[in-house]
Amino acid sequence: TLLYQGALNEGRGLESLIEAMKNIDATLLLAGEGDLSNQLRHLVKQSNLSNKIKFLGFVKPEELKTITANATIGINLLENKGLSYYYSLSNKFFDYIHAGVPQVCIAFPEYQNINRTYQVAILVEDCAPEKITTAVNQLLTEQNFYLQLQKNCEVCARHLNWQQEEKKLLVLYHDLLG
């Protein structure tokens, strides 16, 4: 099972992901709603992919945590629509890591930095359907590689979490307040 969680909005690579699903032997769950919800539902129906792509709509956080933990691959794509996207670091990136779910992720700088240290994802340069297909199919077929990324997620989750960030924030507050 592939999982995309988040807004179904422009710039998230969702049209390309749907196109890629034609050549991926898996189910895609889309958890969320947004400006493109109706258009994407129409595209799925028009592409005869209703048997492979399921729209979950809005999902409560506790349910999403369970859905994420049961996913095989997380999807975290963005199109370069400006600096706010290019330098972003999404919550879903960390949700997948903490659930132990390897992901296909866009190769923007902050994702590259973390992936250089922990290798938790396959990074794609852009949202071209062929690149998405290749990355997803690599995770689905190369079991040892997939398991290594899964282990890397566990290591990364021990380092990149609120408990560790809290310590840094408290030091910063202490230094500011003297």
Side-chain angles (χ1 to χ4, degrees):
T1 302
L2 313 181
L3 174 65
Y4 169 86
Q5 60 179 44
L8 305 183
N9 290 342
E10 183 180 346
R12 307 296 175 99
L14 296 169
E15 298 93 336
S16 295
L17 177 58
I18 290 169
E19 178 69 23
M21 287 302 295
K22 293 177 181 177
N23 298 302
I24 296 171
D25 187 22
T27 300
L28 169 63
L29 303 178
L30 297 168
E33 292 290 347
D35 297 342
L36 295 182
S37 294
N38 291 334
Q39 182 181 331
L40 294 173
R41 283 178 170 84
H42 179 74
L43 179 60
V44 166
K45 190 177 281 190
Q46 184 181 28
S47 302
N48 293 318
L49 293 170
S50 298
N51 61 327
K52 292 173 81 170
I53 301 174
K54 308 297 179 203
F55 291 85
L56 303 180
F58 290 116
V59 178
K60 293 179 182 178
E62 59 274 7
E63 291 175 46
L64 185 58
K65 191 172 184 178
T66 301
I67 292 167
T68 304
N70 288 317
T72 307
I73 298 169
I75 303 294
N76 184 17
L77 301 171
L78 288 172
E79 298 169 24
N80 191 354
K81 295 282 188 178
L83 294 178
S84 66
Y85 272 27
Y86 188 70
Y87 289 110
S88 68
L89 199 50
S90 70
N91 289 334
K92 73 176 119 277
F93 181 74
F94 296 100
D95 290 345
Y96 299 146
I97 289 169
H98 283 263
V101 177
Q103 59 189 289
V104 173
C105 184
I106 195 68
F108 288 170
E110 296 304 319
Y111 301 111
Q112 289 176 0
N113 288 338
I114 292 173
N115 209 52
R116 258 193 299 278
T117 303
Y118 297 104
Q119 194 180 14
V120 294
I122 293 181
L123 302 179
V124 292
E125 292 299 318
D126 58 50
C127 294
E130 311 78 45
K131 292 178 183 173
I132 298 168
T133 299
T134 299
V136 168
N137 284 333
Q138 181 180 358
L139 287 173
L140 290 174
T141 59
E142 294 181 21
Q143 184 178 11
N144 290 337
F145 178 64
Y146 178 88
L147 292 173
Q148 184 59 56
L149 265 59
Q150 205 170 38
K151 288 178 188 174
N152 295 349
C153 285
E154 293 172 19
V155 172
C156 183
R158 288 195 298 268
H159 292 92
L160 301 181
N161 59 61
W162 170 244
Q163 292 74 19
Q164 298 302 318
E165 294 302 308
E166 177 186 36
K167 294 173 189 174
K168 296 174 192 174
L169 191 56
L170 289 173
V171 168
L172 175 68
Y173 287 156
H174 181 266
D175 290 349
L176 287 174
L177 298 173

